[in-house]
Amino acid sequence: MKPVIGVTPDFTAGDRKELGSHEPTIFLRARYSQAIEDLGGIPLILPLCEDSSVRRQLLKKVDGLLLTGSGPDIPPRLYGERQRYRFRVMNRRRYDFELEMVRLAARSGVPLLGICGGMQAINVAHGGTLVQDIASELDRPLQHRAPGPATRRSHSVCVTPKSLLYRIVGRKQIRVNSSHHQSVKRVAPSLTVSAVASDGVIEAIEAPARRFLLGVQWHPEFLYDRDQNHRHLFKAFLDAARKR
Ligand code: MN
């Protein structure tokens, strides 16, 4: 049996002209669901339902949960800070759904993979904070919003020995793509760092007490077809979901 993976989509209230609609719209970059499909899972794009009991029921329908990236950022007040720079914030409909789904999935042991903004959502849902803007807050950071195609592995990360991520990739260092301007600042108490870039930016987090709860700051959905490290990442997630 193939595992069913719930995938969180993005949401716009109808103010994103590039989507060609002024209606509230749920949308998702197809690479996320394509990666699940190509590597042996069944992607199920989750409507951003607002009722808590409906969310609980939705979670029972899936074997794993994939939190995807987002253009807009999590409102800083959700981790106790004021917004210090100009950036677009996520629609409430999305972050409210994602943050609760993270808590429900963690509590019930549903394997969880967060990509980019999805990793940040995992940290905030568990009580951690974010760097609001890497270029403004860090001394001499790497270029994390790297130019060029999203398949370009623009910097390396050091993988924490003995971590879940290390067990997956089997390497102390891997090359990753990078398309983010925020990152995890204070790691939530129940989470640990699984990878860090040379400038100190946290690039992956996990929950040691859970069988599979992993967040990565890069985009493996652009790399799984050309780099086995990133293919193994999805495979390990799908294996954990299948075993559940
Ligand atoms: Mn990066």
Side-chain angles (χ1 to χ4, degrees), residues 79 119-120 123 129-134 138 144 180-186 200-203 217:
Y79 46 92
M119 159 179 170
Q120 295 166 11
N123 192 50
T129 68
L130 303 179
V131 174
Q132 289 191 30
D133 187 61
I134 292 172
L138 266 74
H144 288 278
H180 59 111
H181 83 102
Q182 297 196 329
S183 61
V184 165
K185 184 157 69 182
R186 196 184 67 231
V201 165
I202 293 170
E203 289 272 344
Q217 188 55 72

Side-chain angles (χ1 to χ4, degrees), residues 134 143-144 154-155 157 176-180 197 201 203 217-218:
I134 292 172
Q143 223 175 7
H144 288 278
S154 59
H155 69 76
V157 299
V176 301
N177 51 5
S178 195
S179 175
H180 59 111
V201 165
E203 289 272 344
Q217 188 55 72
W218 63 91

Side-chain angles (χ1 to χ4, degrees), residues 9-85:
D10 207 345
F11 178 82
T12 165
D15 48 2
R16 303 254 315 255
K17 265 189 280 169
E18 70 271 29
L19 292 168
S21 168
H22 294 287
E23 282 293 299
T25 304
I26 284 171
F27 62 103
L28 177 73
R29 279 197 184 174
R31 277 178 195 271
Y32 291 109
S33 54
Q34 193 66 52
I36 301 292
E37 195 180 341
D38 286 350
L39 297 173
I42 301 175
L44 188 66
I45 298 168
L46 301 174
L48 304 168
C49 297
E50 297 186 83
D51 186 291
S52 211
S53 66
V54 171
R55 292 172 179 173
R56 253 181 278 265
Q57 236 179 299
L58 261 184
L59 194 67
K60 287 192 182 129
K61 307 279 183 207
V62 302
D63 305 305
L65 182 64
L66 172 63
L67 294 173
T68 60
S70 162
D73 299 304
I74 295 173
R77 65 182 161 74
L78 295 182
Y79 46 92
E81 289 186 12
R82 259 186 200 191
Q83 183 168 346
R84 285 197 292 274
Y85 314 100

Side-chain angles (χ1 to χ4, degrees), residues 63-225:
D63 305 305
L65 182 64
L66 172 63
L67 294 173
T68 60
S70 162
D73 299 304
I74 295 173
R77 65 182 161 74
L78 295 182
Y79 46 92
E81 289 186 12
R82 259 186 200 191
Q83 183 168 346
R84 285 197 292 274
Y85 314 100
R86 274 172 62 92
F87 50 79
R88 275 189 306 147
V89 294
M90 210 181 271
N91 189 284
R92 189 196 63 82
R93 176 109 175 230
R94 177 171 186 180
Y95 67 70
D96 194 61
F97 180 82
E98 283 194 318
L99 295 177
E100 183 168 25
M101 290 299 272
V102 168
R103 293 188 195 106
L104 291 172
R107 210 180 302 152
S108 54
V110 174
L112 183 54
L113 175 64
I115 292 178
C116 197
M119 159 179 170
Q120 295 166 11
I122 288 174
N123 192 50
V124 171
H126 285 80
T129 68
L130 303 179
V131 174
Q132 289 191 30
D133 187 61
I134 292 172
S136 311
E137 292 186 20
L138 266 74
D139 251 2
R140 283 190 241 162
L142 294 170
Q143 223 175 7
H144 288 278
R145 196 138 51 175
T151 48
R152 195 178 138 236
R153 280 147 285 184
S154 59
H155 69 76
S156 295
V157 299
C158 280
V159 180
T160 308
K162 294 181 183 162
S163 63
L164 170 65
L165 181 62
Y166 184 82
R167 295 199 299 279
I168 292 169
V169 298
R171 293 165 195 274
K172 287 186 205 155
Q173 208 171 334
I174 59 171
R175 302 282 303 172
V176 301
N177 51 5
S178 195
S179 175
H180 59 111
H181 83 102
Q182 297 196 329
S183 61
V184 165
K185 184 157 69 182
R186 196 184 67 231
V187 182
S190 56
L191 305 177
T192 56
V193 173
S194 344
V196 62
S198 62
D199 57 0
V201 165
I202 293 170
E203 289 272 344
I205 53 173
E206 60 189 64
R210 307 281 174 194
R211 204 156 43 81
F212 197 106
L213 194 161
L214 181 63
V216 296
Q217 188 55 72
W218 63 91
H219 284 273
E221 78 278 14
F222 279 96
L223 299 170
Y224 72 94
D225 57 352

